[in-house]
């Protein structure tokens, strides 16, 4: 962390008047606080964070300093490596701030395959924490179990369902699946008989008595009524009349339960949402066009994701997928948070996807929605991208994602973010694949002032060519000049070039793909990764406007 970044962080804390989710401040005059192990666990299990020792929160985050920062740094390093499981390797540095020495430790998030990180002295059940707002909360036994199950590939969707035989599967759906598998995947299924196809696809598995029974995934994908065995593996839809969710005399405008196989629940859930949506008028060309409150493509992807990625372990089978509509938002919640390497920040990025219920999703890749030719899901990791594109096309802000380990929540705000004039202007630039506000900032279409929760945005003044077209700024020469023969972090490149962090992040990605820039050591997602020029010649000319991404 640079001194300037530390100063900005402390200034932000003073504005708020308290710690925030990714920053913990301790005075630490008497040595390392006892609660520090909880904070280390919480940061490691969440999204990482920064611990600052030597500031007094009670007195406006004044710099009180530390009597022996070197000893404290050594003790903190020992605590991280000896008292925590898995051992943590934070970046620990002594800074001079306001004339005194303080200690700053940047704690990384641990890999999902190693979670939960816990205090060895307290044990995995009592010593595992997560960061919530500005505090550390102990994980529940279920949340610990979810993290442990995420270390490998969950197999709950392949479990045999006792008493569920072939007769409890919908015959029409089964026939359609078999025909499709024999056509689209002939190498694996063409020469197999009916039962052999279902066994290889893991629709049928071997039960306790060596008989063929439906797997949980097979029952959910093709079952006539899966809720006979699992009553809560369903969807509830509630339409509330007020933003708070209740009003005296009228609790619900609509309240329904959606059951059946996943294809049926997707169809019926979308019908329930559509029945409760209103339309808004948009002037397009010479006439008026009525559009739905929420784009149906975005809703379909969110509902499908909630049903196919939900946690199917025994501890979550008592919780249903919940869809709630309010005047100002629509929320879709499923049990079980994000799985594998996927994070809230990486949702929608190319090449980053993970399936908690791999067998179920593979089946639904070949099971059509009722009355349609398209299947329930593509299994290509493209659902979030389609959701974002649909919302942007409708002039709406992206959904808000909230990952809580035990649940995942998608919220669609019921408002447009951009005016029709702004959407028209952005479309005229020819920019492809725009996703969210950060992307607009990265491409310098919108100027950001302030950071994080204090950020404000305004349209950028874009230079134009002689033909009146938007002129794209090529930031590669500036970044290469700033690097010279050195290796620098992204933060150092931001400081040297004066460009925004999102803009630098975007161009570094482009240059890595072109081969004009490379990273040293760490993953590109690490806070501490450094960049350097490659030895080969640049793959662009100074007048080249660069790729549209």
């Amino acid at each position: 962390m640079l001194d300037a970044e530390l100063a900005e962080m402390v200034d932000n804390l003073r504005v708020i008047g308290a710690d925030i989710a990714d920053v913990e401040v301790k005075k630490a005059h008497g040595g390392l606080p006892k609660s520090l192990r909880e904070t280390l666990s919480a940061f490691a299990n969440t999204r990482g964070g920064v611990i600052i020792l030597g500031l007094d929160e009670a007195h406006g985050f004044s710099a009180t300093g530390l009597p022996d920062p070197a000893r404290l740094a050594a003790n903190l390093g020992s605590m991280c490596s000896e008292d925590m499981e898995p051992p943590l390797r934070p970046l620990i540095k002594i800074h001079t701030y306001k004339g005194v020495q303080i200690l700053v430790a940047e704690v990384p998030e641990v890999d999902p395959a190693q979670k939960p990180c816990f205090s060895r002295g307290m044990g995995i059940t009592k010593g595992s924490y997560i960061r919530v707002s500005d505090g550390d909360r102990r994980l529940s036994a279920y949340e610990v179990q979810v993290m442990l199950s995420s270390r490998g590939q969950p197999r709950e969707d392949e479990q045999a369902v006792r008493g569920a035989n072939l007769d409890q599967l919908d015959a029409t759906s089964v026939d359609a699946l078999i025909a499709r598998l024999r056509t689209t995947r002939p190498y694996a299924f063409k020469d197999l008989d009916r039962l052999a196809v279902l066994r290889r696809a893991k629709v049928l598995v071997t039960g306790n008595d060596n008989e063929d029974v439906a797997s949980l995934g097979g029952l959910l994908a093709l079952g006539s009524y899966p809720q006979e065995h699992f009553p809560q593996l369903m969807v509830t839809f509630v339409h509330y009349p007020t933003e708070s969710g209740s009003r005296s005399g009228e609790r619900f405008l609509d309240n329904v339960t959606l059951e059946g196989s996943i294809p049926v629940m997707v169809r019926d859930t979308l019908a329930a949402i559509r029945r409760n949506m209103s339309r808004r008028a948009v002037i397009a060309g010479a006439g008026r066009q009525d559009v739905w409150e929420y784009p149906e493509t975005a809703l379909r992807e969110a509902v499908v994701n909630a049903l196919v990625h939900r946690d199917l372990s025994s501890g979550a089978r008592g919780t249903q997928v919940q869809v709630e509509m309010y005047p100002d938002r629509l929320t879709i919640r499923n049990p079980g948070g994000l799985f594998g390497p996927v994070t809230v920040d990486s949702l929608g990025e190319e090449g980053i996807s993970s399936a908690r219920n791999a067998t179920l999703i593979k089946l639904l890749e070949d099971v059509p929605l009722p009355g349609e030719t398209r299947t329930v899901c593509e299994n290509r990791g493209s659902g979030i991208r389609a959701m974002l594109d649909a919302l942007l096309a409708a002039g709406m802000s992206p959904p808000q994602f909230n990952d809580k380990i035990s649940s995942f929540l998608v919220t669609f705000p019921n408002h447009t973010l951009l005016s029709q004039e702004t959407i028209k202007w952005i479309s005229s630039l020819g920019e492809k694949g725009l996703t969210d506000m950060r992307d607009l900032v990265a491409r310098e279409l919108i100027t950001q002032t302030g950071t994080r929760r204090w950020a404000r945005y305004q349209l950028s003044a874009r230079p134009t060519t002689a033909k009146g077209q938007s002129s794209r700024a090529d930031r590669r020469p500036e970044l290469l000049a700033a690097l010279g023969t050195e290796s620098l972090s992204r933060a150092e490149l931001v400081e040297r070039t004066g460009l925004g962090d999102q803009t630098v992040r975007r161009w570094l990605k482009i240059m890595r793909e072109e081969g004009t820039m490379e990273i040293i050591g760490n993953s590109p997602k690490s806070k501490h990764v450094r960049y350097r020029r490659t030895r080969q010649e640049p793959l662009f000319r100074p007048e080249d406007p660069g790729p549209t991404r």
Side-chain angles (χ1 to χ4, degrees):
M1 177 180 296
L2 300 175
D3 290 342
E5 293 177 305
L6 174 62
E8 181 186 14
M9 183 178 295
V10 177
D11 288 343
N12 290 342
L13 292 172
R14 287 172 177 162
V15 171
I16 299 173
D19 292 336
I20 56 179
D22 54 357
V23 181
E24 179 72 22
V25 171
K26 302 288 186 182
K27 189 175 180 180
H29 257 215
L32 294 179
K34 293 181 179 180
S35 62
L36 207 54
R37 292 177 182 84
E38 300 172 6
T39 301
L40 289 170
S41 169
F43 280 160
N45 288 328
T46 315
R47 299 175 62 187
V50 177
I51 296 173
I52 305 176
L53 305 180
L55 297 181
D56 189 352
E57 180 181 355
H59 291 84
F61 296 94
S62 60
T64 56
L66 299 169
D68 191 350
R71 181 177 60 84
L72 211 60
N75 291 343
L76 178 56
S78 296
M79 177 184 289
C80 291
S81 63
E82 297 174 8
D83 295 356
M84 307 303 297
E85 181 62 40
L88 298 177
R89 299 288 185 264
L91 179 63
I92 302 174
K93 185 178 178 181
I94 298 172
H95 289 259
T96 299
Y97 176 74
K98 301 295 184 182
V100 299
Q101 289 187 312
I102 63 176
L103 189 66
V104 178
E106 298 179 61
V107 182
E109 179 182 2
V110 300
D111 188 275
Q114 294 181 299
K115 290 182 179 179
C117 175
F118 61 95
S119 169
R120 290 177 177 174
M122 301 172 67
I124 191 170
T125 302
K126 295 185 178 180
S128 299
Y129 288 79
I130 192 171
R131 192 72 172 176
V132 178
S133 186
D134 63 343
D136 307 322
R137 178 180 65 79
R138 180 179 292 162
L139 291 175
S140 68
Y142 169 65
E143 289 172 324
V144 170
Q145 186 58 44
V146 169
M147 284 191 171
L148 289 173
S149 67
S150 295
R151 291 182 173 183
Q153 177 63 54
R155 298 292 183 186
E156 285 84 0
D157 53 347
E158 297 180 8
Q159 289 182 357
V161 180
R162 186 175 181 179
N165 54 35
L166 186 59
D167 293 339
Q168 295 194 14
L169 303 182
D170 180 75
T172 302
S173 299
V174 169
D175 290 341
L177 173 66
I178 293 173
R180 182 179 174 88
L181 288 175
R182 285 173 173 166
T183 302
T184 60
R185 298 163 64 188
Y187 180 80
F189 295 99
K190 183 178 180 181
D191 298 326
L192 300 181
D193 62 31
R194 179 184 176 87
L195 287 178
V197 169
L198 296 178
R199 292 179 189 127
R200 177 163 288 184
K202 297 184 180 178
V203 174
L204 296 178
V205 294
T206 303
N208 293 333
D209 299 325
N210 292 322
E211 79 283 14
D212 284 330
V213 296
S215 66
L216 177 54
L219 188 65
L220 289 174
L222 302 165
S224 300
Y225 186 59
Q227 289 73 29
E228 178 180 352
H229 299 272
F230 304 100
Q232 292 299 307
L233 297 189
M234 60 178 183
V235 180
T236 57
F237 172 83
V238 182
H239 186 182
Y240 293 100
T242 64
E243 295 179 6
S244 62
S246 63
R247 187 174 69 189
S248 59
E250 185 181 14
R251 291 185 60 194
F252 310 124
L253 298 177
D254 199 358
N255 181 14
V256 294
T257 296
L258 298 316
E259 298 178 318
S261 64
I262 286 179
V264 170
M265 287 192 287
V266 170
R267 179 199 64 190
D268 294 349
T269 301
L270 290 174
I273 297 174
R274 194 182 303 114
R275 183 173 65 245
N276 284 270
M277 274 199 298
S278 60
R279 295 173 180 261
R280 58 186 174 93
V282 175
I283 305 300
R288 166 181 145 160
Q289 179 182 3
D290 289 337
V291 298
W292 290 109
E293 248 177 318
Y294 303 97
E296 182 152 343
T297 296
L299 295 176
R300 183 176 62 252
E301 296 298 340
V303 170
V304 168
N305 282 346
L307 284 166
V308 303
H309 292 292
R310 64 155 295 158
D311 183 11
L312 293 174
S313 67
S314 58
R317 291 176 189 173
T319 305
Q320 69 272 29
V321 170
Q322 299 168 322
V323 181
E324 298 175 344
M325 180 178 281
Y326 302 86
D328 65 333
R329 67 195 186 279
L330 177 75
T331 66
I332 301 175
R333 178 186 288 105
N334 62 269
L338 292 175
F339 170 75
V342 179
T343 66
V344 169
D345 288 338
S346 67
L347 281 171
E349 289 186 14
E350 278 188 50
I352 300 180
S353 65
S354 187
R356 168 180 276 114
N357 305 308
T359 297
L360 172 62
I361 293 174
K362 191 67 176 176
L363 281 174
L364 292 173
E365 184 182 348
D366 291 298
V367 176
L369 289 164
E372 300 186 30
T373 57
R374 64 181 169 188
T375 57
V376 176
C377 56
E378 295 179 343
N379 195 20
R380 300 292 184 273
S382 59
I384 298 294
R385 175 64 56 185
M387 188 189 306
L388 295 172
D389 288 345
L391 289 165
L392 180 64
M396 299 182 70
S397 58
Q400 300 164 7
F401 301 112
N402 190 356
D403 180 24
K404 290 188 175 181
I405 302 178
S406 60
S407 67
F408 185 72
L409 178 68
V410 181
T411 300
F412 296 97
N414 189 357
H415 66 270
T416 56
L417 172 67
L418 306 175
S419 67
Q420 291 299 311
E421 293 78 13
T422 303
I423 296 171
K424 183 178 180 181
W425 173 74
I426 291 176
S427 298
S428 72
L429 300 177
E431 299 278 346
K432 303 299 182 184
L434 284 172
T435 56
D436 56 17
M437 189 65 78
R438 288 187 305 174
D439 200 7
L440 293 170
V441 172
R443 302 187 192 208
E444 300 178 87
L445 302 176
I446 283 179
T447 300
Q448 176 181 337
T449 56
T451 58
R452 297 176 182 174
R453 67 186 69 188
W454 303 278
R456 296 295 182 269
Y457 304 92
Q458 64 182 18
L459 294 179
S460 301
R462 298 280 288 177
T464 57
T465 65
K467 296 182 180 181
Q469 297 175 333
S470 174
S471 174
R472 296 171 47 79
D474 184 355
R475 300 303 187 183
R476 287 172 287 193
E478 295 171 68
L479 290 169
L480 291 173
L483 273 173
T485 59
E486 299 179 74
S487 64
L488 301 175
S489 67
R490 192 176 75 242
E492 290 169 331
L493 285 168
V494 168
E495 187 175 39
R496 289 195 181 186
T497 61
L499 299 172
D501 179 73
Q502 294 297 332
T503 300
V504 170
R505 185 193 299 264
R506 172 176 177 257
W507 282 101
L508 287 175
K509 181 176 184 292
I510 292 173
M511 295 169 73
R512 290 200 315 275
E513 292 174 352
E514 292 175 336
T516 57
M517 183 87 69
E518 63 183 0
I519 64 173
I520 302 175
N522 296 304
S523 159
K525 294 186 177 298
S526 169
K527 297 178 182 178
H528 313 301
V529 69
R530 303 184 74 81
Y531 300 83
R532 67 184 176 194
R533 300 178 65 159
T534 59
R535 294 183 178 180
Q536 65 185 55
E537 291 297 319
L539 303 177
F540 62 92
R541 302 184 305 275
E543 67 272 15
D544 184 5
T548 299
R549 302 192 181 194

